[in-house]
Amino acid sequence: MALLLKAEEAEDFPQWRAALQALDPALEIIDWPCPADARQRIEYALVWQPPRGELAGYAKLRAIFSIGAGVDAILADPTLPDVPLVRMIEPGLTRGMNEFVSLAVLGHHRFMLQYAARRRARDWSPIQQIDASQRRVGVLGLGQLGRAALAQLATFGFALRGWSRSPRRIDGVECFHGEAGFDDFLAGCDILVCLLPLTDDTRGILDARCFARLPHGACVVNVGRGGHLVEEDLRAALDSGQIAEATLDVCQSEPPAADSWLWDDPRVLLTPHIASMIIFDSAAAAVLEARRQWLAGERPAGLVDRRRGY
Ligand code: GLV
């Protein structure tokens, strides 16, 4: 049984191979680009951002496993073969995202960007702390990562709310859904965290209209995709004070253009799409478990519904 591996970084291949073969020594793992004589053997593809058209070239392909939680780059391929596509759900990725979301939310909650600016100005003055119970944190997207982030944020005592396309119930979280619930959700978010999948419905969701509905001086954390955010709308909202600060782990163009305002703006904490990375051992276990489930006629947790786009 052969699996094609297109890792996020070429150097990841040995670690992926070791993790996969420790669990399934019989699995043949073929590095990308696939040699011509191996193409006919490939039954599974484990991929990060495969070039368009690539996956259509494997006649025996039975399933595609995404190395990322988001599958927008894979679904953007119009020639994508009609085989099951499974997004990555693994505990290491979830823990990493919990850490990053907590870091970003706590950073805004405790004014860390403002203290960085005060330090540059040799200003030692304090800012009145706000109790976490008075800080309303909203998470857009209540999938695996959104729900886990909310559970982590709950430990700090924030007032939590969440928004998703369809109705959800989460203990201790005020849940909103659909277009009808969007504005009410936004009206109570002092810190807004985007953990949505990128689909036609969510592209550009963090735009001027969204910012105008947030409380004045709100903060925005985007750990979804660059396509969720209209960057120029964010800049205008920062300039007007409607948005106080933002943490952006993802951008329209990664990296941003050399002359992009995002590099220098002190109101933006910018990181290079590192909010969360898979842990090879637990990710390999998740992929092989999803394969087992699929072969046994069960439904893997991360099976993508192509119509929904996640
Ligand atoms: C990273 O961006 C992912 O999709 O997991």
Side-chain angles (χ1 to χ4, degrees):
M1 209 176 268
L3 175 144
L4 172 72
L5 174 59
K6 181 183 179 299
E8 188 170 0
E9 306 291 342
E11 321 68 276
D12 294 350
F13 181 78
Q15 299 184 76
W16 265 117
R17 183 175 50 196
L20 288 161
Q21 284 187 337
L23 297 169
D24 182 357
L27 190 63
E28 183 189 5
I29 299 161
I30 296 176
D31 199 1
W32 188 83
C34 185
D37 63 346
R39 294 185 86 83
Q40 289 310 308
R41 295 204 301 281
I42 300 294
E43 290 182 54
Y44 299 100
L46 172 58
V47 289
W48 173 261
Q49 299 186 346
R52 288 192 185 186
E54 170 72 21
L55 294 169
Y58 301 91
K60 297 224 176 83
L61 194 67
R62 305 173 74 180
I64 302 164
F65 300 96
S66 166
I67 288 179
V71 290
D72 45 293
I74 298 176
L75 289 176
D77 182 350
T79 70
L80 195 66
D82 187 17
V83 296
L85 168 63
V86 182
R87 65 178 180 278
M88 181 62 73
I89 298 181
E90 69 96 1
L93 191 75
T94 305
R95 273 198 305 277
M97 188 56 86
N98 284 349
E99 287 175 5
F100 191 91
V101 168
S102 300
L103 185 70
V105 168
L106 288 170
H108 293 300
H109 171 58
R110 296 300 303 269
F111 311 110
M112 295 311 275
L113 280 175
Q114 292 189 52
Y115 283 122
R118 285 181 190 208
R119 176 185 173 207
R120 285 191 294 273
R122 292 178 150 53
D123 176 353
W124 187 252
S125 58
I127 302 167
Q128 180 60 49
Q129 190 180 322
I130 294 174
D131 190 74
S133 64
Q134 303 304 307
R135 187 76 85 177
R136 299 164 300 174
V137 181
V139 173
L140 274 173
L142 300 177
Q144 167 77 20
L145 294 175
R147 291 196 310 272
L150 281 161
Q152 184 73 56
L153 291 168
T155 66
F156 299 107
F158 291 115
L160 297 173
R161 46 179 54 209
W163 181 87
S164 51
R165 209 175 70 127
S166 39
R168 291 265 188 183
R169 286 186 58 166
I170 305 174
D171 278 351
V173 178
E174 194 177 354
C175 289
F176 300 79
H177 69 274
E179 228 168 284
F182 193 54
D183 288 1
D184 287 343
F185 163 76
L186 292 173
C189 293
D190 300 315
I191 302 175
L192 175 67
V193 179
C194 176
L195 265 167
L196 287 165
L198 183 63
T199 66
D200 289 344
D201 290 338
T202 65
R203 190 176 305 280
I205 194 167
L206 303 176
D207 62 358
R209 185 187 179 283
C210 162
F211 300 145
R213 277 155 184 79
L214 290 169
H216 186 77
C219 299
V220 174
V221 176
N222 190 14
V223 278
R225 285 286 186 262
H228 287 126
L229 174 67
V230 181
E231 290 171 1
E232 284 311 315
D233 287 1
L234 175 64
R235 190 183 198 180
L238 286 164
D239 288 346
S240 73
Q242 175 61 15
I243 300 295
E245 300 173 346
T247 296
L248 305 181
D249 182 57
V250 286
C251 298
Q252 285 284 356
S253 155
E254 295 182 6
D259 61 351
S260 167
W261 63 280
L262 291 170
W263 290 112
D264 304 309
D265 197 306
R267 302 164 298 185
V268 176
L269 182 68
L270 183 67
T271 50
H273 203 142
I274 48 71
S276 186
M277 294 173 189
I278 53 102
I279 302 300
F280 295 107
D281 289 347
S282 46
V287 169
L288 295 181
E289 172 60 9
R291 182 190 61 170
R292 185 201 67 72
Q293 289 174 318
W294 178 252
L295 292 175
E298 298 164 25
R299 188 189 159 83
L303 188 67
V304 170
D305 175 340
R306 292 201 189 185
R307 270 172 308 117
R308 284 190 324 188
Y310 58 93

